């Protein structure tokens, strides 16, 4: 079954709508959503009833407000639904501090070095998803040892005990601009782990296309909120 992972972008304990990775211009998600009447996370989950969720902690990712602003909210969400969390981890210490908040942690190339990814995967086997973050066609990383080609990163990750690889295309987040089938097909063919896509998924036709090339799931917000993908696909 192709996985539709419901995305919750948390900012100051509320769910906001992300578009094109422009984090400064996010707004409360219920203002434009067809599937929820609130941006309060727990009430929103009661309305939407997703099978699993992806949380991006925008307060940490933007370095805005207290580091733990959303922690209690995330813990509450995780008690109700299978949760993967991206809190902008950049060190082993940070990973261990948040390891109890969610079922799996996201380590993104934007904030985590290749060495940190390896260390956390060794200490939390099977509880790590690695996000290969892209923007303007480039891998987002400050690690000089991180490969610059996504395929090379995948080969490094094949040796680790992680759960999933996420291809996160920041330019496509919230844009419903479609998917890059050729690129994603290559990644899926060389990965030893399930590959999920974040960014650009616009409708059910994209889902069928992704499934046909070996992608196992997609992180979706906009296409669910605007009705392009039926909500029941995220509830299965």
């Amino acid at each position: 079954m192709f996985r539709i992972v419901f995305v919750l972008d948390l900012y100051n304990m509320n769910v906001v709508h992300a578009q094109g990775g422009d984090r400064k211009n996010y707004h409360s998600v219920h203002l434009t959503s067809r599937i929820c009447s609130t941006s309060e996370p727990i009430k929103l989950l009661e309305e939407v009833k997703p099978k699993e969720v992806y949380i991006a902690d925008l307060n940490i990712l933007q370095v805005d407000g207290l580091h733990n602003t959303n922690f209690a909210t995330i813990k509450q969400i995780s008690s109700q639904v299978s949760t993967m969390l991206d809190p902008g981890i950049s060190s082993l210490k940070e990973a261990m501090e948040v390891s109890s908040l969610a079922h799996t942690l996201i380590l993104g190339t934007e904030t985590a070095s290749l060495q940190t990814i390896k260390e956390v995967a060794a200490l939390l086997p099977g509880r790590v998803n690695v996000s290969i973050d892209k923007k303007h066609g480039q891998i987002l990383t400050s690690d000089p040892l991180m490969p610059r080609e996504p395929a090379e990163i995948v080969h490094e990750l094949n040796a680790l005990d992680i759960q999933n690889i996420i291809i996160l295309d920041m330019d496509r987040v919230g844009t419903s601009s479609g998917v890059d089938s050729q690129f994603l097909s290559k990644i899926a063919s060389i990965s030893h782990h399930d590959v999920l896509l974040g960014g650009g998924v616009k409708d059910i036709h994209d889902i069928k296309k992704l499934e046909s090339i070996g992608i196992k799931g997609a992180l979706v917000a906009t296409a669910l909120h605007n009705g392009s993908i039926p909500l029941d696909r995220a509830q299965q």
Side-chain angles (χ1 to χ4, degrees):
M1 178 70 71
F2 189 88
R3 296 161 60 191
I4 303 291
V5 184
F6 186 60
V7 174
L8 297 177
D9 288 302
L10 286 189
Y11 181 64
N12 291 338
M13 298 176 289
N14 279 293
V15 182
V16 297
H17 178 243
Q19 189 167 21
D22 184 10
R23 293 173 178 143
K24 291 295 184 182
N25 292 318
Y26 292 172
H27 59 264
S28 296
V29 72
H30 77 278
L31 296 176
T32 54
S33 177
R34 297 182 183 178
I35 63 172
C36 64
S37 62
T38 177
S39 293
E40 196 282 311
I42 300 304
K43 291 180 180 178
L44 188 154
L45 288 178
E46 291 172 354
E47 292 183 356
V48 176
K49 298 179 176 62
K51 183 176 181 180
E52 57 180 322
V53 300
Y54 167 104
I55 297 175
D57 189 328
L58 298 186
N59 285 89
I60 295 179
L61 292 169
Q62 294 178 171
V63 193
D64 187 343
L66 296 176
H67 188 78
N68 64 351
T69 295
N70 297 310
F71 283 9
T73 301
I74 293 167
K75 188 77 171 177
Q76 193 174 4
I77 292 169
S78 297
S79 71
Q80 299 193 18
V81 64
S82 178
T83 303
M84 57 179 77
L85 169 66
D86 182 357
I89 294 168
S90 61
S91 68
L92 177 60
K93 179 182 178 182
E94 290 177 359
M96 301 313 293
E97 285 175 348
V98 299
S99 63
S100 65
L101 295 181
H103 301 92
T104 55
L105 298 181
I106 309 291
L107 272 74
T109 60
E110 181 179 10
T111 55
S113 68
L114 186 58
Q115 183 59 34
T116 295
I117 291 171
K118 291 178 178 179
E119 290 174 354
V120 176
L123 280 179
L124 299 173
R127 290 195 54 215
V128 170
N129 296 324
V130 176
S131 178
I132 300 176
D133 303 327
K134 294 173 55 188
K135 192 171 181 65
H136 305 316
Q138 302 294 318
I139 298 298
L140 291 178
T141 182
S142 58
D143 177 11
L145 299 181
M146 184 73 71
R148 290 305 187 264
E149 292 296 327
E152 294 180 31
I153 299 176
V154 171
H155 284 303
E156 292 275 0
L157 298 177
N158 279 343
L160 305 182
D161 186 2
I162 62 175
Q163 194 169 108
N164 306 296
I165 290 176
I166 298 169
I167 302 296
L168 186 61
D169 193 331
M170 295 296 292
D171 293 316
R172 296 175 186 251
V173 167
T175 65
S176 299
S177 57
V179 301
D180 185 344
S181 298
Q182 185 174 0
F183 165 73
L184 293 169
S185 178
K186 177 182 178 182
I187 295 299
S189 70
I190 63 176
S191 177
H192 294 176
H193 305 97
D194 285 354
V195 178
L196 313 179
L197 172 65
V201 178
K202 64 180 179 179
D203 54 28
I204 202 69
H205 299 293
D206 277 351
I207 296 300
K208 292 177 179 178
K209 186 185 302 181
L210 291 171
E211 196 168 15
S212 72
I213 61 175
I215 300 299
K216 299 300 183 182
L219 314 180
V220 182
T222 302
L224 287 167
H225 284 292
N226 67 23
S228 297
I229 293 176
L231 180 56
D232 63 2
R233 289 300 301 266
Q235 298 170 328
Q236 297 173 2

